[in-house]
Amino acid sequence: MSIKIAELTHVYDKNTPNETIAIDHINLVIESGEFIGLIGHTGSGKSTLIQQLNGLLKPSSGEIIVSGYNITDGLDISKSNKKRVSKAESRARKKRLIEVRKRVGLVFQYPEYQLFEETIEKDIAFGPYNLGLQEAEVKKRVRDAMQTVGLDYDTYKDRSPFDLSGGQKRRVAIAGVLAMKPEVLILDEPTAGLDPKGRDEILYQIKSLHEKEKLTVIIVSHSMEDMAKISERLIVMNKGAVVLDGTPKDVFRNI
Ligand code: ADP
Ligand code: ADP
């Protein structure tokens, strides 16, 4: 259940005047059950890296192996690739993408972008339904995920996800990803826009989830301080490269 990233590179707008090397030959090994803070200034490549880990972006070169499954292999969903493909090929790609999403769950920085159903229950059930699971199993996963993020099922199941506070929307988004039972949970700036109390609550919940379920967690943040408090390992990116990687103690010794 480890992640191996080898010589990973991502170039936007290749061979144009806007060419940007967002990820520059990254090599990383992430072991199962690690709790990682991925840190770096805006533009350092964090978003690009996590979108690659979730299969949203196809790397320009290099590979990502999650639990022995090469998620970059045959994946070609990049927006810049508008080539027409056969129905069979398109189906095969969708299947591969589902295999990736089953393993790696991504919670976006702005949870609004991943909430779209009219009730919270339907929203959280969307992913598991798409996996083709039985209704009883879907329902169980929805209840469990809501309990994990601290949303009472009976109180919230029929409410609209759009009427919630920022912190609660984020909980629904996290529950939707957890209902897929991923092996790796990636959260992009999960505390953005929350007050200090909401921030602590979300971080505490993620931490207990990690401890209880032995889930591998990667939190993207620009706050070294926040991440040093809760992470076991900090990975610091700059200009598309990993510049520091170690325990918070190691990393602070080297900055
Ligand atoms: P953050 O660092 O807070 O994640 P950014 O401002 O870097 O946010 O990026 C926000 C979104 O805009 C991301 O989805 C990213 O892919 C996209 N983005 C960033 N820079 C560019 C760019 N030069 N051209 C097009 N899209 C970009
Ligand atoms: P971070 O998440 O650390 O802010 P990003 O991965 O968003 O970093 O960005 C890395 C680099 O890639 C930046 O120079 C950014 O402007 C550029 N970039 C990000 N997304 C896009 C995009 N969709 N199109 C073009 N350039 C992008």
Side-chain angles (χ1 to χ4, degrees):
M1 305 235 276
S2 63
I3 303 177
K4 288 201 182 80
I5 297 173
E7 296 299 324
L8 195 69
T9 296
H10 197 89
V11 185
Y12 288 108
D13 304 317
K14 203 174 162 95
N15 300 328
T16 74
N18 292 328
E19 180 169 300
T20 306
I21 302 174
I23 299 291
D24 194 1
H25 294 89
I26 285 188
N27 292 287
L28 277 176
V29 174
I30 293 169
E31 297 296 348
S32 173
E34 282 198 276
F35 193 108
I36 294 178
L38 179 63
I39 307 177
H41 296 299
T42 296
S44 58
K46 307 181 298 298
S47 307
T48 304
L49 178 62
I50 60 174
Q51 288 179 63
Q52 290 178 331
L53 286 173
N54 181 247
L56 275 172
L57 269 183
K58 182 184 163 63
S60 309
S61 61
E63 33 174 58
I64 303 172
I65 315 276
V66 181
S67 325
Y69 186 89
N70 186 338
I71 69 167
T72 38
D73 194 20
L75 189 69
D76 198 357
I77 47 157
S78 98
K79 287 183 207 113
S80 58
N81 189 340
K82 299 231 167 66
K83 264 200 326 251
R84 288 186 67 85
V85 294
S86 70
K87 273 225 173 87
E89 176 57 19
S90 162
R91 250 198 311 270
R93 285 180 187 181
K94 277 207 188 105
K95 234 173 132 183
R96 282 194 290 264
L97 198 57
I98 289 174
E99 289 302 315
V100 176
R101 302 279 156 79
K102 265 193 338 210
R103 290 172 168 78
V104 183
L106 175 59
V107 181
F108 293 122
Q109 176 166 5
Y110 302 104
E112 287 78 5
Y113 295 157
Q114 64 197 118
L115 304 176
F116 44 85
E117 296 284 345
E118 75 244 33
T119 72
I120 291 174
E121 177 161 39
K122 282 188 186 160
D123 211 282
I124 299 171
F126 180 83
Y129 264 123
N130 270 349
L131 290 182
L133 298 170
Q134 299 288 324
E135 194 161 330
E137 171 65 14
V138 172
K139 203 150 192 144
K140 179 175 184 316
R141 286 192 180 200
V142 172
R143 278 175 177 273
D144 288 351
M146 285 179 71
Q147 188 180 12
T148 302
V149 299
L151 288 172
D152 181 66
Y153 178 77
D154 292 319
T155 312
Y156 284 100
K157 71 178 170 65
D158 294 324
R159 287 183 58 177
S160 162
F162 302 100
D163 296 339
L164 302 174
S165 70
Q168 284 171 325
K169 275 186 192 147
R170 196 161 266 123
R171 279 165 212 253
V172 175
I174 295 173
V177 171
L178 289 179
M180 300 287 282
K181 292 196 186 283
E183 293 159 22
V184 181
L185 176 66
I186 305 178
L187 304 111
D188 191 1
E189 299 276 0
T191 59
L194 302 183
D195 59 20
K197 185 165 166 280
R199 262 203 318 259
D200 287 350
E201 274 174 15
I202 283 282
L203 291 179
Y204 171 77
Q205 246 159 19
I206 298 167
K207 187 81 184 172
S208 28
L209 187 65
H210 160 76
E211 280 160 6
K212 230 173 46 204
E213 315 271 334
K214 304 276 167 265
L215 198 65
T216 308
V217 174
I218 302 174
I219 300 187
V220 175
S221 174
H222 57 262
S223 168
M224 182 91 96
E225 279 70 26
D226 278 3
M227 288 304 104
K229 270 190 253 164
I230 60 163
S231 308
E232 290 145 15
R233 176 179 176 191
L234 296 178
I235 295 175
V236 185
M237 290 183 66
N238 188 33
K239 295 186 179 148
V242 172
V243 289
L244 289 168
D245 180 0
T247 62
K249 228 171 159 180
D250 288 340
V251 166
F252 276 102
R253 230 196 320 262
N254 286 306
I255 47 175

